[in-house]
Amino acid sequence: QRAPPPAAPPAVASAAQPRVAYVPEARRAVIEPEMSDDEGIEYVSGAAVRQVSGGHPGGAPVLGGTLQASAEFVGGPSKGEVSWYRLRGGREEPISGADGLSYTPTADDFELRLRVAFSSVVGGDPVTVDTQPVGADAGFMAELNKQLGSLLGKRSGEASFSVRGGGGEGRVVVLSRDKLKVRKKGRVGSDQTLLKAEFSAGLSLAMDPFDDVRFEVLPEGSEPVDLSADSRRGRDMLVLIARRLSPASGATHARAAAAEEEEEGGFMDDRKRGFSDHEEAGSASEGDGEEDFKPKMRISIRNTPAPAAAAPIALGLPPPAPARRRS
């Protein structure tokens, strides 16, 4: 008999392949341009400026408080640019180094409105928002008026501020009705006067915009004195008292720069001087051979007859102006 055919080998089960579900890649949310019947595409929307610290949140800006700007830009935040200005007599004065979403007002901003310009790199016109005038908290104003009352009263007194020299040495700035003095700080009776400058002889204070406490006293015809206050608040107080002693000193660095430009024809050359250590730090960090400089704020103090009595500084705070679009 014929042998039966061999049995077929058992089927080899193929390994089961797992099924992978397709998950689409998550896309980053992109703000689409809104349309306005009157203006077309709105490249910047929801522009606003609020105080988030110091004073009353959402209220009028104050010295030392933090202002926060916000807006939505077509294409996302990276497509937006922000610039801060002071408004003086309807004129915009750019604020050095203020190009972020937050800003802290200084003595240069006191009683002035600030303007924030929001621009989209994609297109469209800038949108601006103005703040209320910059004021100060109740404690600051009380101290300011107290100091002014002492200086401008019938019995003219002095206001003293503890500061540090360029090398960290103890110094004292003394303000009186008609002069400013800088002394070495030491034991009673051992102070030595380093500088004595009359307001009538020409005097200016340059506030470093890149440092919260640093400033220079710039007497006419003498070497500048580099100083640092004990705090941002202390520097603001010193500068505001000096301005009140000479009301004509309301000019900030921008107005002083404009005057220099007319007289000398090159205000940028003067701005390049800045503070020496900022220049050295900038050149060391860049390392590309290009000149790096930072402008400085200048407060000109001119001769003006002092009033007979101190006048309290009152702030009128009208409601904030709505956001508007530049033409």
Side-chain angles (χ1 to χ4, degrees), residues 31-69:
I31 300 174
E32 297 294 339
E34 298 181 3
M35 298 296 294
S36 169
D37 294 338
D38 297 329
E39 302 178 0
I41 297 178
E42 293 185 1
Y43 291 92
V44 181
S45 60
V49 180
R50 296 183 74 257
Q51 181 165 261
V52 294
S53 69
H56 299 285
V62 296
L63 298 177
T66 300
L67 295 174
Q68 187 72 32

Side-chain angles (χ1 to χ4, degrees), residues 203-224:
L203 182 68
S204 63
L205 274 68
M207 292 168 46
D208 186 346
F210 303 96
D211 191 295
D212 290 345
V213 298
R214 194 174 179 204
F215 66 100
E216 280 184 326
V217 177
L218 304 171
E220 187 72 21
S222 301
E223 291 296 319

Side-chain angles (χ1 to χ4, degrees), residues 158 172-176 179-183 193 195-197:
E158 293 182 338
V172 178
V173 173
V174 181
L175 293 173
S176 61
K179 66 176 69 72
L180 179 151
K181 292 182 286 187
V182 179
R183 297 172 175 169
T193 300
L195 172 68
K196 182 178 180 180

Side-chain angles (χ1 to χ4, degrees), residues 144-217:
L144 178 61
N145 284 319
K146 178 182 177 181
Q147 295 280 13
L148 291 174
S150 173
L151 291 166
L152 300 176
K154 291 183 178 180
R155 295 183 177 181
S156 179
E158 293 182 338
S160 299
F161 296 86
S162 295
V163 298
R164 299 186 306 276
E169 313 89 351
R171 298 286 185 263
V172 178
V173 173
V174 181
L175 293 173
S176 61
R177 184 193 295 267
D178 57 357
K179 66 176 69 72
L180 179 151
K181 292 182 286 187
V182 179
R183 297 172 175 169
K184 290 183 179 180
K185 189 174 184 179
R187 295 188 301 274
V188 176
S190 64
D191 287 1
Q192 299 180 15
T193 300
L194 299 174
L195 172 68
K196 182 178 180 180
E198 303 282 341
F199 291 152
S200 59
L203 182 68
S204 63
L205 274 68
M207 292 168 46
D208 186 346
F210 303 96
D211 191 295
D212 290 345
V213 298
R214 194 174 179 204
F215 66 100
E216 280 184 326
V217 177

Side-chain angles (χ1 to χ4, degrees), residues 91-264:
R91 178 181 176 183
E92 293 180 347
E93 295 180 358
I95 300 177
S96 300
D99 55 3
L101 291 176
S102 63
Y103 176 70
T104 300
T106 71
D108 273 336
D109 307 311
F110 188 64
E111 295 185 324
L112 298 178
R113 292 180 182 270
L114 302 179
R115 172 169 292 172
V116 186
F118 301 84
S119 305
S120 172
V121 299
V122 177
D125 297 325
V127 173
T128 62
V129 177
D130 294 350
T131 71
Q132 297 181 33
V134 175
D137 61 67
F140 185 98
M141 291 302 300
E143 178 64 20
L144 178 61
N145 284 319
K146 178 182 177 181
Q147 295 280 13
L148 291 174
S150 173
L151 291 166
L152 300 176
K154 291 183 178 180
R155 295 183 177 181
S156 179
E158 293 182 338
S160 299
F161 296 86
S162 295
V163 298
R164 299 186 306 276
E169 313 89 351
R171 298 286 185 263
V172 178
V173 173
V174 181
L175 293 173
S176 61
R177 184 193 295 267
D178 57 357
K179 66 176 69 72
L180 179 151
K181 292 182 286 187
V182 179
R183 297 172 175 169
K184 290 183 179 180
K185 189 174 184 179
R187 295 188 301 274
V188 176
S190 64
D191 287 1
Q192 299 180 15
T193 300
L194 299 174
L195 172 68
K196 182 178 180 180
E198 303 282 341
F199 291 152
S200 59
L203 182 68
S204 63
L205 274 68
M207 292 168 46
D208 186 346
F210 303 96
D211 191 295
D212 290 345
V213 298
R214 194 174 179 204
F215 66 100
E216 280 184 326
V217 177
L218 304 171
E220 187 72 21
S222 301
E223 291 296 319
V225 180
D226 185 8
L227 301 170
S228 293
D230 58 357
S231 64
R232 174 194 290 271
R233 189 182 183 92
R235 185 179 70 168
D236 285 341
M237 181 70 70
L238 190 159
V239 169
L240 289 179
I241 291 176
R243 287 180 175 176
R244 186 65 179 86
L245 293 174
S246 181
S249 68
T252 59
H253 68 294
R255 289 176 60 187
E260 291 173 5
E261 187 175 16
E262 292 179 359
E263 295 176 3
E264 304 176 7

